[in-house]
């Protein structure tokens, strides 16, 4: 059961055609500057502000993210090596055991 990993379905990502990321960042900077000056009231809790903070705070998840994701499990690789050895033995000698 634990030898095989279940693939997670691909996530839906909708890319906007007419979206200006630079303008969005400038608007956020302007809004935070106005809040600092007292021109706007304090903002409440925004769930988007904590996105990705857990991965950045743990070392093993950060390493996994930098290395490109999950790798082959050691158990799977050992089973593949053992199967390869049995197949080579069968090819060379003609006997299964």
């Amino acid at each position: 059961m634990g030898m095989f990993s279940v693939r997670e379905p691909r996530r839906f990502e909708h890319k906007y055609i007419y979206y200006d990321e630079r303008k969005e960042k400038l608007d956020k900077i302007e809004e935070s500057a106005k809040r600092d000056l007292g021109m706007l009231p304090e903002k409440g809790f925004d769930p988007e502000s904590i996105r990705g903070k857990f991965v950045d705070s743990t070392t093993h998840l950060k390493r996994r993210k930098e290395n490109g994701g999950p790798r082959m499990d050691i158990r799977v690789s050992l089973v593949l090596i053992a199967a390869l050895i049995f197949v080579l033995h069968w090819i060379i000698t003609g006997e299964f055991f």
Side-chain angles (χ1 to χ4, degrees), residues 35-82:
R35 287 192 197 286
D36 289 343
L37 293 174
M39 297 170 74
L40 292 175
E42 288 297 319
K43 192 165 91 171
F45 175 71
D46 182 27
E48 287 294 320
S49 65
I50 61 171
R51 183 181 297 271
K53 299 294 182 187
F54 181 73
V55 173
D56 292 336
S57 64
T58 56
T59 56
H60 67 280
L61 290 178
K62 194 184 303 182
R63 261 195 321 258
R64 186 176 215 183
K65 185 178 177 184
E66 290 170 358
N67 290 338
R71 296 178 182 246
M72 185 182 292
D73 193 18
I74 188 73
R75 291 175 285 184
V76 174
S77 58
L78 288 175
V79 168
L80 287 175
I81 291 172

